Amino acid sequence: MALSGGRRLHLAADTLSLRELLAVVESGVTFWRQRLESTDGVARTTAAAAIKDLSQILDSLATQIALGRETVQVTGRLPAQRLFPLPCAVCGRGNRASAKYCIACGTPLRPDLQAVPRVPPLPRLQIASRTDIGMVRPVNEDTLYTGEFTTANDTIGTLLIVADGMGGHQAGDVASTLATTTLKTYLTSALSHGVPTADAGWHALLQRAVLQANQVVYQHAQDHSYQQGMGTTMTVALVVGRRVHLGHVGDSRAYLINPAGVVNERLPWLQLTTDHSLVARLVDIGQITPAQARTHPQRNVVYRSLGGDATLEVDTRSHALAPGDTLLLCSDGLVNHVEDEELARMVLDASSVAQACAQLVARANEGGGKDNITVVMARVV
C-alpha cells in the first residue's frame, strides 16, 4: 500500500504492522508541525487539531507495541453505531452509552478517568507428538518430551524436546534419554530461582542446560566402556509468552510454518535450526546440491553432538510467534524422507496437529523408514 512521502504499508493477509503504521503517523505529525509553523489563521487551527489527533494515535500505538502487539487486524466492516453510540476518539470503536472505557483499546470515555491499557491474551498452544521405530532399525533411539514449566504462582511456558541418539542400541537410546532428563532437571532448578526477562537470558539458560546434559552423557560414556561412542542430537524449544527460545546441537530440526508465510519469507515454512552435519556443510560451500544431500552416503555424519566431547558449542536463537504459527521439531528420520515443501503442505492441510504428526510419520515410513522418526508439534491458536 503506497502512501505519500514514499512510505509503504505492507498488508500480510488481513493484518497490518503496527510499527509501520507508527512510522506513518510520526510522518503525519512532522507534516502538520511544518504547516503549523508556516501558516496562520484557520490553517493553524486545522494543523493544531490534526497534531492533537495524531498524538493520541501515537500514544495508543506505542502502548500496544509495548504490550507485545505487533499487528492490527484490517477490516472493512465498522461496528454499528446505532448499537454502540459512544465512539472512541483514539481507535474509533463504538461503545455502549454507559461504557467508561473503550472495549477495544482501553481509552477512557470520560475525562475524569485514567486509561487502562488492554493486555493482549497470551497465545494458547495445541500440542501433539509421535515417535516411531521406522522400518529398519531394531530399537528406537529417539526421545521426545512436551510439557509445561510452572512456578508456585504461574505457568512459565511450554518445553519441547527432540533428541536423536547415536551409537547403537546399547548406547543411543541411553544417550538421548539421559540428555533429555538432565536438561529438564536443570531447567526446573534454574527457573525456580528466577525467570529470564530478555532473549539473551533465555539463550544463556539454554546453553547452560544443554552443556550440563552434554557433560552427563559424556561422563556416562567414560564410565561405561561398552557404551563409549554414544551421543545424541538435541533440539529444545521453550515457548514463553509470544516468543520461542531455541537451543540446538546436531541434525534434528526445528521449523516454523504458517499459511500466510513466515516473517519476510514468501514460503510458508522456515527452518529455524542449522544442521551440524557433513552434507549440510557440503551444500553450504556448493560441493553438492540439497537434492544430492538427501542420498549422500555420508548424510548421517554429524560433526557436533552431545556426548562426543567434554566441550560443546550450542546454537541459540529466539523468534516471535503469531496466531496460526506451527512450531515443528523433528529427528532426521523425518526429513530424510519428507522434503520441506511436502512437510509444510502436510502440516497445513491436516485438520489437527495430532493428525499432522501421524501423517508425517506414516509418510516417512512409506518412503523407506530407514531411521527412527520423531515429530513434536505446537500450534498457536
Side-chain angles (χ1 to χ4, degrees):
M1 181 187 298
L3 300 168
S4 60
R7 290 189 175 274
R8 288 180 174 271
L9 287 178
H10 300 282
L11 289 175
D14 58 350
T15 62
L16 184 66
S17 167
L18 285 179
R19 295 185 183 275
E20 291 182 349
L21 186 57
L22 182 65
V24 173
V25 176
E26 288 173 339
S27 297
V29 173
T30 301
F31 170 79
W32 284 110
R33 281 178 176 167
Q34 293 171 346
R35 293 291 300 273
L36 188 64
E37 295 171 357
S38 62
T39 59
D40 52 26
V42 176
R44 288 179 62 85
T45 302
T46 301
I51 291 172
K52 182 178 179 180
D53 291 342
L54 288 170
S55 296
Q56 290 181 311
I57 296 172
L58 274 175
D59 181 66
S60 174
L61 289 172
T63 299
Q64 293 183 64
I65 291 173
L67 292 172
R69 188 174 182 182
E70 295 293 334
T71 59
V72 64
Q73 198 79 11
V74 178
T75 178
R77 181 176 178 273
L78 295 176
Q81 291 300 311
R82 66 182 180 87
L83 296 178
F84 306 105
L86 187 58
C88 174
V90 174
C91 71
R93 174 67 181 269
N95 294 269
R96 299 184 184 279
S98 60
K100 295 180 180 180
Y101 297 94
C102 175
I103 192 173
C105 68
T107 298
L109 301 175
R110 288 185 355 211
D112 59 321
L113 297 175
Q114 294 183 346
V116 180
R118 289 173 59 88
V119 179
L122 291 177
R124 186 167 58 89
L125 299 179
Q126 292 178 344
I127 298 173
S129 62
R130 180 166 292 214
T131 187
D132 190 88
I133 196 171
M135 307 299 290
V136 175
R137 298 294 178 90
V139 67
N140 192 345
E141 297 179 286
D142 289 357
T143 299
L144 66 81
Y145 175 81
T146 67
E148 288 188 339
F149 274 104
T150 60
T151 64
N153 301 318
D154 200 3
T155 297
I156 298 174
T158 300
L159 176 65
L160 312 172
I161 304 173
V162 167
D164 181 357
M166 300 170 289
H169 69 278
Q170 288 186 318
D173 54 335
V174 174
S176 64
T177 301
L178 267 179
T180 300
T181 302
T182 302
L183 185 132
K184 289 192 298 179
T185 302
Y186 185 93
L187 288 177
T188 300
S189 176
L191 290 171
S192 68
H193 293 89
V195 178
T197 57
D199 290 352
W202 288 106
H203 296 172
L205 174 62
L206 285 171
Q207 286 175 341
R208 293 193 301 269
V210 175
L211 288 174
Q212 178 65 28
N214 175 68
Q215 185 59 43
V216 169
V217 175
Y218 176 78
Q219 191 58 53
H220 183 92
Q222 301 306 305
D223 295 341
H224 300 80
S225 58
Y226 64 95
Q227 292 181 333
Q228 286 188 3
M230 68 190 297
T232 183
T233 71
M234 176 164 277
T235 300
V236 51
L238 268 172
V239 180
V240 183
R242 298 170 186 84
R243 295 187 72 74
V244 57
H245 309 286
L246 293 162
H248 170 68
V249 176
D251 63 350
S252 295
R253 291 183 179 179
Y255 290 88
L256 191 63
I257 302 168
N258 190 302
V262 181
V263 195
N264 293 323
E265 302 287 334
R266 294 159 65 179
L267 297 174
W269 76 87
L270 175 67
Q271 184 177 334
L272 297 175
T273 53
T274 299
D275 294 349
H276 302 139
S277 65
L278 174 62
V279 294
R281 292 297 296 270
L282 293 175
V283 171
D284 287 342
I285 62 176
Q287 291 296 308
I288 61 174
T289 66
Q292 291 171 329
R294 304 184 67 82
T295 58
H296 196 281
Q298 294 179 302
R299 61 185 177 275
N300 293 323
V301 177
V302 297
Y303 60 82
R304 194 188 300 179
S305 63
L306 278 71
D309 202 310
T311 61
L312 182 67
E313 183 179 352
V314 182
D315 289 354
T316 57
R317 70 173 293 179
S318 296
H319 204 288
L321 294 175
D325 280 345
T326 298
L327 183 66
L328 184 149
L329 277 59
C330 64
S331 61
D332 67 334
L334 176 68
V335 296
N336 284 342
H337 296 293
V338 185
E339 296 189 20
D340 290 353
E341 183 175 0
E342 182 181 13
L343 182 152
R345 178 181 54 77
M346 293 179 68
V347 170
L348 296 175
D349 289 348
S351 61
S352 67
V353 288
Q355 183 187 70
C357 287
Q359 291 178 345
L360 285 170
V361 169
R363 178 68 186 87
N365 276 326
E366 289 171 5
K370 295 180 180 179
D371 201 350
N372 309 141
I373 309 153
T374 298
V375 185
V376 170
M377 209 174 296
R379 177 169 293 165
V380 181
V381 295

